[in-house]
Amino acid sequence: MTGLSLVHAGRPARGMTARGYGAWLGVLGLLLVWEALAHVVSGAFVLAAPTEILAYLVEDRGLVTRALGVTLGNAALGYVFGNLAAIALAALALLWPRSERIVTGLALLVYCLPLVATGPILRVLFGPGAGPQITLAALAVYYTTLIPLLVGLRAAPAGWFDLVRSYGRGRWSELVHVRLMASLPYLFAGLQIAAPAAFLGAMVGEFTGAERGLGVLTVRAIRALDVDMTWGVATVATAVAILAYVGLGMIARRFLRDAPPVILAAPASDTVRDSGSGWKAAIGVTVIALAGWALAFWVFDLNPFFAKGPMDVLDALLLAEDAGATRGTLAVALSETAVYLLPGYFAGLAAGAGLAMLLVLVPVIAGTAMPLAIALRSVPIVTTAPLVVLLLGRGATGTIVLVAVMVFFPTFVACLHGLRQAPGQVLDVFDSFAAGPVSRLVRVRIPAMLPAFFAAARMAVPASVLAVTVVEWLATGAGIGSLMAMSASLSDFDMLWSSVVLVAAISALGYALVGSVERRILRVYAPEQLT
Amino acid sequence: MAPDVTPPPEIICSGLAKTFDGRTEAVRPTDVTFHAGQTTALVGPSGCGKSTLLRMVAGLEAPSAGQLLIGGMPPAETLQNAALSIAFQDPSLLPWRTVRGNIALALSLARRPVDDAEIDQLISLVGLDGFAEARPAELSGGMRQRAAMARALVTRPGLLLLDEPFGAVDELTRHQLAQDLPRIWEARGTTTLLVTHSVTEAVLLSDRVIVLSPRPAEIIADIAIPLDRPRESGIERSPDFGDLTDAVYAALSRGMTLDRPPLAAQ
């Protein structure tokens, strides 16, 4: 499977019962420490003990169950629509290969839209109801299904296609006999990651002004400084997300022979080989996005008070009398966000890669850490944002930590996997020279890790922007997330739309920037990974 | 056995050449005829372009120049009639299909009815009795090659193209496969093209060995192999066999020292 940075984890070994008991004991120990700690700091209003969470959930079970039902329903609808959209886009790219760059570029741009601002905009466009939550859930999932699916549809060895062609059959037979089955593990991996993501999207949609749902309860609990309720709702959200992930994993294992792929990012494209096509695609994507945006206003005849077209945003940013002031406000907000975002992003990358390297030096732990890390990666970190804010305060620390945690898990999983991909025979050569573990790490394993690391770093850009804007929106009162929250509540739709456009553009540019660093480095260390 | 669906074709290459990206010459303009019902081996050093020649015959690669006729027809037409089969160094079995399913796939790709009795007979013929319902992951490398060969043979092709079909297995297995499998297509009188870099295998299996130069491929020698068939185990130690392999080796060495001007200068 050369040319892909989508790689497979081995099936976990059988006979893990002893380790299984160990895990349960670990969870029990953690709960006890948590309980004790909560009682020690009980006056500080930051940490609820497991027993207090349980007490809250029992007491308010009616309220929480109803809210959960609403959120689950919205998440499920968004999950279905988002994944259907992903499959349709993948089919388009497959049937018309020249459209693939435009399709993936537009998909990335839409994925980079800040959910916290898209929420209120959708709210005014849809009117009352569950439309925005469902749309946000769909927006949160379609990209992470589309990308692995596209890779999966190409994942088959060349020999399989030669076989089909040697009997005079064409692309349709390739699709039916080879691509569909070969892409199933990738599709399931995407669907599995999508389950908690849909739940997260629905909750973020509820943060931004719904009437019912767990997100509404979260906002209410934070406003009321109700520690037990904040923790209770976050616990339910996290548990449901993990259960959805595990449940889909079990369904996938019934269907599949191979374990699903671990790293869900498309390989970097080698723009040197087909020079200029990257720029052409970027310009094409921008033009189509702007045209689609303008067309939507014309077709749906939207209310110009809250619906702004490309010209309105251009006007607000460049031509209007107060354009200078608008730009100033945005610049201040963006620079505040950068102070949270950049340290968090790089700390998350460093911690993920660093811990993976440390673990590889102790191989026994690495084997156990992998399944745990894959499971934790699925936790929608943003649903725990209220807890991080409670624990670490509304200042910079909490936000930076949350961004770092958001980046940490996917990076850690990817790096651990990449480090273990190091070719065994090369390691044997190093053994034969009696090279120490550090030398093996630096000279063999880290180069082998680079493709996975960069794939994770690229995908972490939109994820970290999502994290930072959500925390700013909910709690910190600074940065672009807070500016969007304020603009939404003051009905300053010029400012809101301008922020959305800027955040999406910066996010997509960040993704492209990481991609270009990636290409430079992989061209030296892993040229076979570039497509 | 039923008669072949397609009669073994004669393959005529005239001025056939392949250049990749307009720069890398893989095959120099070549005139050669592969006779109907014969097994012809193409021998040459690694990367010399012999696989490219085979892929052009298979219709998987378009020639840059020259003409190729298979039984008087262009390759595209041969493909449409599913009149050829190809087996690669990599068995290329679909992992989600059983041995039977992989063999049946060739029949459905060739738009023929799936005949279970015929498949069973072939599974037995290649020595995979009892493994019809096994999946590729459960088979050894040699067994996978046997399954791939059964898949190539099930459509009863008039033309069989083999690209290092025993290249990925160990020496013992390779020897066994080279003894067992060729008997099937020899008995059918199939036109067979075999790409290999094993001189012994080429002499053992073919009626004619064509020696190619290092890339870009050019024909250096065309050596007839007049050994009787069926060729019994141990024939490799006969003096005739030794003389023939020596001749092939000598041609290969000549090719390595060949001093050729680049094509543009000619």
Side-chain angles (χ1 to χ4, degrees):
Chain A
M1 291 217 178
T2 48
L4 297 174
S5 59
L6 267 164
V7 282
H8 293 267
R11 270 183 194 279
R14 283 165 205 272
M16 295 224 309
T17 42
R19 203 183 279 164
Y21 285 126
W24 285 114
L25 280 177
V27 170
L28 194 66
L30 200 68
L31 283 175
L32 287 174
V33 172
W34 180 357
E35 182 79 31
L37 199 67
H39 288 289
V40 170
V41 299
S42 64
F45 291 103
V46 290
L47 184 61
T51 49
E52 290 166 336
I53 294 172
L54 199 64
Y56 164 76
L57 290 178
V58 171
E59 191 188 303
D60 268 359
R61 60 185 177 279
L63 179 66
V64 173
T65 318
R66 276 196 305 278
L68 177 62
V70 170
T71 307
L72 270 182
N74 293 338
L77 283 174
Y79 181 81
V80 170
F81 290 138
N83 286 315
L84 285 179
I87 292 168
L89 287 174
L92 175 66
L94 190 73
L95 294 174
W96 186 28
R98 301 189 69 173
S99 74
E100 177 170 343
R101 287 203 145 196
I102 299 288
V103 167
T104 52
L106 280 174
L108 174 69
L109 197 62
V110 174
Y111 186 62
C112 285
L113 290 175
L115 292 186
V116 289
T118 331
I121 290 175
L122 290 172
R123 179 87 43 214
V124 290
L125 295 182
F126 272 98
Q133 293 92 298
I134 296 169
T135 312
L136 286 203
L139 285 176
V141 302
Y142 80 100
Y143 193 70
T144 47
T145 301
L146 171 66
I147 294 303
L149 187 56
L150 279 176
V151 175
L153 286 167
R154 290 192 168 60
W160 297 359
F161 298 118
D162 282 347
L163 177 77
V164 173
R165 288 170 57 203
S166 73
Y167 289 102
R169 297 283 88 86
R171 292 201 349 211
W172 180 250
S173 292
E174 284 181 1
L175 180 67
V176 171
H177 292 293
V178 177
R179 291 189 199 272
L180 282 184
M181 286 298 283
S183 70
L184 273 190
Y186 297 82
L187 176 63
F188 270 108
L191 291 180
Q192 202 184 356
I193 291 278
F199 196 73
L200 162 71
M203 271 189 79
V204 172
E206 290 163 359
F207 287 166
T208 57
E211 296 87 31
R212 283 191 296 276
L214 280 185
V216 176
L217 290 192
T218 303
V219 173
R220 201 187 294 169
I222 294 178
R223 298 238 167 95
L225 282 177
D226 187 335
V227 177
D228 293 352
M229 185 176 173
T230 310
W231 279 86
V233 174
T235 307
V236 170
T238 308
V240 168
I242 293 179
L243 280 178
Y245 181 83
V246 172
L248 271 161
M250 286 164 73
I251 294 173
R253 270 193 294 282
R254 284 187 161 268
F255 280 99
L256 299 178
R257 322 204 135 258
D258 299 319
V262 171
I263 299 162
L264 298 173
S269 56
D270 189 357
T271 44
V272 165
R273 222 171 38 195
D274 57 335
S275 56
S277 72
W279 284 109
K280 271 182 236 158
I283 293 167
V285 165
T286 312
V287 169
I288 292 176
L290 290 175
W293 180 9
L295 192 71
F297 281 88
W298 186 66
V299 169
F300 296 110
D301 192 22
L302 298 171
N303 181 339
F305 173 67
F306 47 72
K308 303 291 176 189
M311 291 318 288
D312 299 321
V313 170
L314 190 73
D315 192 49
L317 286 175
L318 293 177
L319 307 175
E321 267 175 40
D322 58 350
T326 308
R327 285 201 304 271
T329 312
L330 282 166
V332 170
L334 284 173
S335 64
E336 283 168 353
T337 299
V339 172
Y340 303 134
L341 179 64
L342 296 177
Y345 176 76
F346 288 110
L349 285 186
L355 189 64
M357 288 177 202
L358 272 182
L359 279 182
V360 163
L361 294 176
V362 195
V364 183
I365 308 177
T368 330
M370 191 68 174
L372 185 67
I374 290 179
L376 283 176
R377 180 180 64 168
S378 72
V379 176
I381 302 297
V382 172
T383 58
T384 65
L387 308 186
V388 176
V389 171
L390 274 181
L391 284 170
L392 298 170
R394 289 168 183 259
T397 325
T399 315
I400 292 173
V401 166
L402 195 92
V403 172
V405 171
M406 188 87 176
V407 175
F408 169 81
F409 280 108
T411 310
F412 175 66
V413 170
C415 288
L416 196 55
H417 187 84
L419 288 166
R420 296 167 82 197
Q421 288 297 107
Q425 290 179 342
V426 177
L427 288 172
D428 288 347
V429 170
F430 274 67
D431 277 349
S432 73
F433 292 120
V438 174
S439 163
R440 288 159 38 130
L441 179 70
V442 173
R443 288 166 200 264
V444 186
R445 288 195 188 273
I446 291 181
M449 177 195 87
L450 288 174
F453 171 79
F454 277 108
R458 223 167 354 114
M459 292 298 279
V461 172
S464 59
V465 171
L466 171 67
V468 80
T469 47
V470 167
V471 183
E472 286 171 348
W473 175 282
L474 280 177
T476 54
I480 191 80
S482 167
L483 178 65
M484 291 190 286
M486 225 144 59
S487 314
S489 61
L490 295 175
S491 298
D492 184 352
F493 286 102
D494 275 329
M495 184 64 91
L496 189 60
W497 281 86
S498 304
S499 316
V500 170
V501 171
L502 274 183
V503 171
I506 291 172
S507 201
L509 276 179
Y511 182 98
L513 189 69
V514 176
S516 90
V517 175
E518 175 180 19
R519 275 193 295 280
R520 276 167 200 281
I521 292 181
L522 292 196
R523 211 172 289 144
V524 176
Y525 285 97
E528 81 285 353
Q529 294 281 342
L530 297 171
T531 55
Chain B
M1 265 193 214
D4 289 343
V5 169
T6 45
E10 182 181 55
I11 303 163
I12 303 170
C13 309
S14 7
L16 192 68
K18 180 72 186 177
T19 308
F20 287 106
D21 302 332
R23 278 177 302 162
T24 318
E25 279 187 87
V27 179
R28 287 262 169 110
T30 303
D31 296 301
V32 63
T33 298
F34 303 114
H35 303 301
Q38 273 200 355
T39 299
T40 308
L42 297 169
V43 187
S46 294
C48 76
K50 53 191 188 294
S51 290
T52 306
L53 189 55
L54 190 84
R55 290 175 63 83
M56 284 195 280
V57 175
L60 297 174
E61 209 77 73
S64 310
Q67 202 189 24
L68 178 66
L69 287 174
I70 300 172
M73 294 186 296
E77 213 154 315
T78 318
L79 281 181
Q80 280 309 315
N81 299 336
L84 68 81
S85 277
I86 186 161
F88 308 96
Q89 175 170 352
D90 182 302
S92 292
L93 300 171
L94 300 183
W96 53 84
R97 282 174 174 257
T98 59
V99 168
R100 179 193 299 285
N102 268 289
I103 299 172
L105 174 66
L107 286 172
S108 36
L109 286 174
R111 300 189 192 188
R112 308 259 173 85
V114 173
D115 179 350
D116 274 326
E118 169 98 24
I119 293 176
D120 281 331
Q121 194 189 359
L122 207 50
I123 286 176
S124 171
L125 211 56
V126 298
L128 282 177
D129 279 316
F131 289 94
E133 306 309 323
R135 285 181 207 274
E138 303 164 76
L139 304 178
S140 71
M143 290 161 87
R144 280 180 222 163
Q145 278 309 345
R146 289 173 188 271
M149 202 58 81
R151 180 183 60 194
L153 292 169
V154 73
T155 53
R156 300 185 159 269
L159 172 59
L160 186 62
L161 303 172
L162 307 170
D163 191 353
E164 295 276 1
F166 313 130
V169 290
D170 62 90
E171 185 63 33
L172 269 176
T173 312
R174 187 185 176 112
H175 190 256
Q176 193 58 52
L177 292 175
Q179 285 291 329
D180 294 353
L181 298 180
R183 292 176 197 276
I184 304 169
W185 70 76
E186 280 164 16
R188 291 182 180 181
T190 312
T191 306
T192 306
L193 277 189
L194 167 72
V195 159
T196 177
H197 47 232
S198 160
V199 171
T200 313
E201 197 170 276
V203 174
L204 180 68
L205 299 183
S206 57
D207 303 299
R208 178 186 176 202
V209 175
I210 289 177
V211 181
L212 298 173
S213 68
R215 199 182 76 195
E218 257 181 306
I219 295 178
I220 292 183
D222 188 342
I223 300 165
I225 309 294
L227 298 170
D228 291 336
R229 288 186 188 272
R231 294 172 187 168
E232 302 299 333
S233 178
I235 193 174
E236 297 98 316
R237 289 184 294 280
S238 72
D240 286 350
F241 195 95
D243 291 346
L244 288 165
T245 50
D246 283 351
V248 175
Y249 274 121
L252 276 170
S253 315
R254 274 208 310 282
M256 299 305 272
T257 55
L258 201 63
D259 190 20
R260 293 176 296 170
L263 191 65
Q266 283 179 350

